[in-house]
Amino acid sequence: MTPPRSIVVAGESIAGITAARELRERGHAGPITVIGAEECGAYARPPLSKAVLKDDRADSTLGYRLDGLGIDVVRSPAVTADLDRRVVATANGREIGYDALIIATGARARRIAAPGQRGETVLRTLDDARRLRTRLDAARSAVVVGAGFLGLEVVSACVARGIPVTVVDVDPPLRRILGPFVSGAITTRAEEHGVRVIVTGGPAKLTGDPVDGVRLAEGTALTADLVVTCCGEVPNTAWLAEAGLAGPHGVAIDPACATAIPGVFAAGDVTCLRTGGTRTPFWSTAVAQGKAAAASALDLVPAGPPLDDYFWTEILGLAVKVVGPLPPPGEPDLVEGSVPGGSALLTWFGENGQRTVVAYGKRVPVPKLRALAG
Ligand SMILES: Cc1cc2nc3c(=O)[nH]c(=O)nc-3n(C[C@H](O)[C@H](O)[C@H](O)COP(=O)(O)OP(=O)(O)OC[C@H]3O[C@@H](n4cnc5c(N)ncnc54)[C@H](O)[C@@H]3O)c2cc1C
């Protein structure tokens, strides 16, 4: 393949920014255009549910820049991709041609409100985080729907402000991602902090218009000043509908981040792996895929795999860092420390011999965790 002359990266967040930087790192001197949909430009999302909910001084520390790399940035969402003509059209009427396209349009918050029901609160963007921080300033009670890492980080923000909070999910907290042992430990810790944890028998529904409560599958009604939905995310693929490139789990990619269409690559939360349809909507994977997609777009060999299994969260004052396959099964080996004491290093051996390592409230450098995971 002749290396592409012009490259378009659709999506201005960590996967897209990483891809654009990597293209220059790998020696691409031709035109690069990054298409973004958020007026404020690229920023880090993980701090939104951590520092930003606590402190408005964090807002100005999140941005990413592409200065000095000779990259054009167009801040108007991509609305269609014509894969035959190799042209992306943007909402402001531009048509941008490419030799290679990297799709990095990420995901949006999954909403559960009924059609027409107003006032659902979610957390995906900086604007969402600012709105939620203002709501937290005034709230005297809160319900969070979804006890994954995002839901529990919002719960933590409520606890830090002394707001009585209930969290509702069909599974125990973090169980889908961190397995039964860590889920049990986190549930105990949440309850010790006064959090009401409800495991319900089916999907909860939002009540009120605007939303002011939740009805559980069992019929129980909960009301609160603040109701926050943290029920996962949906890949942003509507602009690719006519191109026929995306399925319900996103844009399918191979291990080199190539799609089924020559010259089209994808990275980050918008993707799923072609084999198995697995989605891994985490930060480190978005970085790994951004690099891999850039290398592949230049017809070079990616330096690493398209998955990075490092993940972290901060819950009720506890940093939890994880490396390895998720969810880890059953009971771990305790390498150091104590879980009730809030500082422990845990390992699990999976059936395939792969190891999962969790630093539970314990300060362990990520390279050491990776080395322990083997
Ligand atoms: C509040 C929060 C906390 C998180 N905390 C953690 C954490 O602690 N650890 C962790 O590992 N992960 C965390 N994550 C997940 C992590 O942030 C995501 O995996 C990562 O942001 C994915 O990056 P991305 O570039 O693929 O997509 P995104 O960050 O979703 O960015 C996609 C970009 O594309 C833009 N876009 C959408 N449609 C179009 C279009 N048609 N044209 C142009 N642009 C478009 C979007 O506006 C967005 O700017 C968190 C996520 C959130 C929301």
Side-chain angles (χ1 to χ4, degrees):
M1 185 182 105
T2 325
R5 218 181 67 75
S6 62
I7 302 181
V8 167
V9 178
E12 189 189 9
S13 185
I14 188 62
I17 291 285
T18 303
R21 286 178 177 159
E22 184 76 1
L23 289 168
R24 288 287 186 244
E25 280 279 307
R26 293 272 196 145
H28 177 67
I32 301 174
T33 306
V34 172
I35 303 175
E38 294 182 77
E39 244 174 62
C40 62
Y43 56 88
R45 287 181 210 283
L48 297 181
S49 47
K50 304 170 184 75
V52 172
L53 290 188
K54 286 189 206 134
D55 187 348
D56 57 11
R57 283 171 301 183
D59 300 18
S60 57
T61 64
L62 314 174
Y64 292 116
R65 310 196 65 85
L66 290 169
D67 296 353
L69 294 175
I71 292 172
D72 280 341
V73 178
V74 176
R75 297 240 165 88
S76 177
V79 287
T80 54
D82 182 331
L83 303 179
D84 295 328
R85 287 171 56 227
R86 296 198 165 200
V87 166
V88 174
T90 57
N92 64 359
R94 281 191 61 178
E95 288 208 330
I96 305 168
Y98 63 81
D99 296 313
L101 170 64
I102 297 177
I103 297 167
T105 44
R108 61 189 181 280
R110 191 164 87 80
R111 292 176 178 270
I112 60 168
Q117 189 177 21
R118 293 163 304 159
E120 180 172 17
T121 298
V122 296
L123 176 51
R124 180 77 197 178
T125 65
L126 180 55
D127 284 345
D128 292 339
R130 287 180 169 140
R131 269 192 296 272
L132 180 53
R133 187 172 60 211
T134 305
R135 298 283 309 277
L136 285 165
D137 287 343
R140 281 156 304 155
S141 58
V143 173
V144 176
V145 184
F149 77 87
L150 185 57
L152 290 178
E153 289 180 359
V154 173
V155 163
S156 305
C158 294
V159 170
R161 289 164 181 257
I163 302 167
V165 56
T166 300
V167 60
V168 176
D169 200 315
V170 292
D171 290 313
L174 283 172
R175 182 148 184 168
R176 286 184 296 273
I177 177 167
L178 291 180
F181 181 84
V182 177
S183 170
I186 293 283
T187 304
T188 303
R189 187 173 175 87
E191 288 171 344
E192 284 168 358
H193 280 77
V195 179
R196 186 176 172 210
V197 177
I198 298 180
V199 179
T200 171
K205 290 203 166 84
L206 300 181
T207 54
D209 184 21
V211 172
D212 63 0
V214 169
R215 188 177 316 283
L216 305 183
E218 295 76 12
T220 313
L222 309 172
T223 54
D225 290 346
L226 174 64
V227 179
V228 188
T229 305
C230 298
C231 292
E233 67 293 303
V234 184
N236 286 322
T237 56
W239 68 285
L240 297 167
E242 284 172 28
L245 245 180
H249 302 296
V251 177
I253 53 168
D254 70 10
C257 291
T259 71
I261 308 292
V264 182
F265 307 85
D269 281 14
V270 75
T271 68
C272 62
L273 286 184
R274 199 176 293 159
T275 41
T278 327
R279 292 192 67 240
T280 314
F282 299 133
W283 183 260
S284 308
T285 288
V287 172
Q289 292 186 353
K291 289 183 179 175
S296 297
L298 298 175
D299 204 19
L300 301 171
V301 178
L307 290 179
D308 182 331
D309 57 8
Y310 169 60
F311 164 77
W312 79 100
T313 180
E314 285 172 28
I315 295 168
L316 298 160
L318 195 87
V320 179
K321 295 182 195 167
V322 185
V323 178
L326 297 175
E331 294 281 314
D333 291 325
L334 180 65
V335 180
E336 281 173 41
S338 128
V339 171
S343 174
L345 186 59
L346 310 165
T347 60
W348 289 255
F349 275 105
E351 280 167 14
N352 52 8
Q354 281 181 294
R355 207 188 305 214
T356 299
V357 184
V358 169
Y360 180 90
K362 188 169 176 62
R363 288 173 74 92
V364 183
V366 180
K368 183 174 171 192
L369 286 182
R370 290 190 194 277
L372 277 168

